[in-house]
Amino acid sequence: MTDRYRSDRSNRSAYAEDRVVQLPDLSDSLWRAISGYRPHRYPRSTGIFALWLFGLFAVFLSPAPVKVTQEKLDRYAQLVTQAQGDPKVRTMTEQRLWEATMYTEEAKVWFWRFRSPHSEIVKQRLAKQYVAQSALDKLNKQRAALMSEAKSQLGLWSDAGVEESKQTFWKSFEAGKVFGRRQTLWDAIVTVIAGQERNAMGMLVKVVFSALVNFTIGMVSSVFVFVFKLPWIVADYKPGWVSGTAFFMVALTGAVSVITAFLGALYGTSAAGIYAAVSLVNANSRLQGPQGGRAAHIQYHTD
């Protein structure tokens, strides 16, 4: 009886050991990789890493390379004041457009395009609406031209140009994070409701993987949105081709560096969390293996 109990116990212990996932020593592997790295052996990787550090420096630490003189600041303030124009004229123009739009909407009855008297009436009123719209567009173009001239006085590489580009990037960045959080929340809700994963570890891995995919999509999309908006910012400051192209490349490098740093931190945190969870499961499996074997051989005798 004792030999049978010991053999069964050893079998169950071996089964528990088989269930344990063999995890590598990440700290030792990471230290070995860092200590064994030689920049001259990997020039391409070293260049990419240096470019990544430069992008982070440009976004977080680098000041504006161009200092604006007081004369340019005074000229900028003068042009901004001119761009504002007469508020009464703008208010009157906007009021006329609103009245013309409402006047046109009143004539749009059901199927007015196919009813002969109403279609002519709408076309006549639309002509007046287009006149009011063109007047407002003219004011907007004049204002945009004066603002562009004012920005050109400061320069693209000034505090104004750098800060405007940074604000545009951070807005796109926040929109990408909102997308990632929202999609991850919905995916987690669907996973819990569907009940496809009965194992807690499997559900955790699935949610983490879904979060990584959603945040990756959101961050990559934010870069594309920023790249689409950046040329318009550059054009407003009226730089030369060389200066504008250089600014665009520096801004793009900074945006990609921040996105990769964010995603790298996200991937690393997720991997560390899963590693810790699997280690905990392994420890529980080792503890429960022998106890399960002993508990399985408890016999109850009844007279």
Side-chain angles (χ1 to χ4, degrees):
M1 185 67 180
T2 305
D3 295 337
R4 181 183 176 184
Y5 171 73
R6 289 179 178 175
S7 62
D8 196 12
R9 180 181 178 182
S10 62
N11 291 335
R12 289 181 175 272
S13 300
Y15 175 72
E17 292 295 331
D18 291 339
R19 293 175 58 193
V20 175
V21 180
Q22 297 297 328
L23 297 177
D25 189 356
L26 294 182
S27 59
D28 183 62
S29 301
L30 182 61
W31 171 252
R32 195 175 300 173
I34 295 175
S35 60
Y37 180 76
R38 297 295 182 268
H40 62 277
R41 293 182 182 178
Y42 310 99
R44 182 178 300 179
S45 301
T46 304
I48 293 175
F49 182 70
L51 193 62
W52 177 71
L53 290 178
F54 171 76
L56 294 179
F57 172 77
V59 173
F60 294 106
L61 299 176
S62 176
V66 174
K67 300 299 181 182
V68 182
T69 61
Q70 186 62 38
E71 180 181 358
K72 291 185 177 181
L73 286 175
D74 295 339
R75 179 57 178 167
Y76 171 79
Q78 181 182 0
L79 290 173
V80 169
T81 303
Q82 293 180 7
Q84 299 301 324
D86 190 354
K88 294 182 179 180
V89 175
R90 173 168 290 274
T91 302
M92 187 180 300
T93 305
E94 292 177 350
Q95 180 67 24
R96 288 176 181 174
L97 176 60
W98 183 82
E99 292 176 354
T101 303
M102 293 297 101
Y103 188 60
T104 303
E105 293 297 326
E106 291 177 358
K108 291 183 178 180
V109 296
W110 287 97
F111 303 105
W112 61 270
R113 297 180 183 274
F114 309 101
R115 300 168 64 178
S116 85
H118 298 284
S119 60
E120 283 87 8
I121 294 175
V122 171
K123 290 180 181 179
Q124 292 175 2
R125 296 186 180 185
L126 278 175
K128 296 180 180 179
Q129 180 181 341
Y130 292 154
V131 172
Q133 183 67 54
S134 62
L136 182 61
D137 291 342
K138 184 178 180 180
L139 288 178
N140 291 333
K141 289 181 180 179
Q142 292 176 354
R143 181 178 181 179
L146 288 173
M147 286 301 300
S148 179
E149 183 65 25
K151 291 179 179 180
S152 66
Q153 298 298 318
L154 301 179
L156 181 61
W157 296 89
S158 63
D159 289 330
V162 172
E163 286 300 322
E164 185 175 357
S165 62
K166 286 184 179 180
Q167 290 177 5
T168 303
F169 167 71
W170 288 121
K171 288 181 181 178
S172 302
F173 181 81
E174 289 297 326
K177 288 201 301 184
V178 169
F179 173 84
R181 288 196 298 264
R182 184 185 296 116
Q183 291 300 119
T184 302
L185 176 61
W186 283 111
D187 290 344
I189 292 175
V190 171
T191 301
V192 173
I193 293 176
Q196 298 176 356
E197 292 289 345
R198 298 183 180 274
N199 186 6
M201 180 58 64
M203 184 176 295
L204 175 63
V205 172
K206 188 173 183 179
V207 172
V208 170
F209 180 77
S210 175
L212 293 178
V213 172
N214 291 328
F215 274 95
T216 300
I217 295 174
M219 292 296 102
V220 173
S221 300
S222 68
V223 173
F224 281 102
V225 172
F226 175 67
V227 170
F228 177 78
K229 294 180 178 180
L230 186 58
W232 302 100
I233 299 175
V234 174
D236 283 342
Y237 288 85
K238 297 180 179 180
W241 282 103
V242 176
S243 178
T245 303
F247 186 88
F248 181 88
M249 296 305 298
V250 171
L252 179 60
T253 303
V256 173
S257 299
V258 173
I259 295 300
T260 53
F262 176 81
L263 292 178
L266 187 64
Y267 295 159
T269 304
S270 302
I274 293 177
Y275 181 87
V278 173
S279 301
L280 182 61
V281 171
N282 289 343
N284 291 334
S285 298
R286 292 191 183 96
L287 292 175
Q288 293 177 2
Q291 294 177 359
R294 184 181 298 112
H297 285 79
I298 297 177
Q299 297 181 359
Y300 296 92
H301 299 280
T302 59
D303 295 335

